[in-house]
Amino acid sequence: MAGGGEDLPRDAKIVKSLLKSMGVEEYEPRVIHQFLELWYRYVVDVLSDAQVYCEHAGKQTIDCDDVKLAIQSKVNFSFSQPPPREVLLELARNRNKVPLPKAIPGPGIPLPPEHDTLISTNYQFAIPKKQSTPAMEETEDDEESVKPNSSQEQKTDVAHPTSLRVSFPLTKPPSRDGKRVQFR
């Protein structure tokens, strides 16, 4: 609620009269202080931008054109208008043409398929083909007996349209007795 008999600074009286001219009769006393803080912050931002424009133009003092340019840049970058209603309706029509993914039936809340959720993995591991090197020749007979699963190879070769492929070589750490360990 507004207090009437206080001794207020000139700027606070201006804010109070602006509120009254807009038809606001009841408000908290701190509203005046919040408006003053907003007002001072805005003025400091505009004048600091005007100072930058003045220095860029090679002038010694800020003039009216610098302040106008600073205010215009604040208005352009701070207060933007929403797009016209027709544009929004056209965007909504285009988006709504795409059907929603089918839900997985089951108990509880029906959820979309895993690849359509935000919690699904968005990467795939690409396992590099084995290459024969002198260090790996010791375990060559073990490698021949192990045959990779063809279904696993198909899964790694198929790229998901929204996933990223990550590949890195798997190094084989030496065992405690100095021999290499074969991963299977």
Side-chain angles (χ1 to χ4, degrees), residues 9-25:
R10 180 179 60 93
D11 292 342
K13 288 178 184 176
I14 291 172
V15 170
K16 197 172 177 178
S17 67
L18 282 172
L19 288 170
K20 188 174 184 176
S21 71
M22 294 173 62
V24 179
E25 296 295 330

Side-chain angles (χ1 to χ4, degrees), residues 99-112:
L100 292 174
K102 295 190 179 208
I104 299 172
I109 300 171
L111 297 174

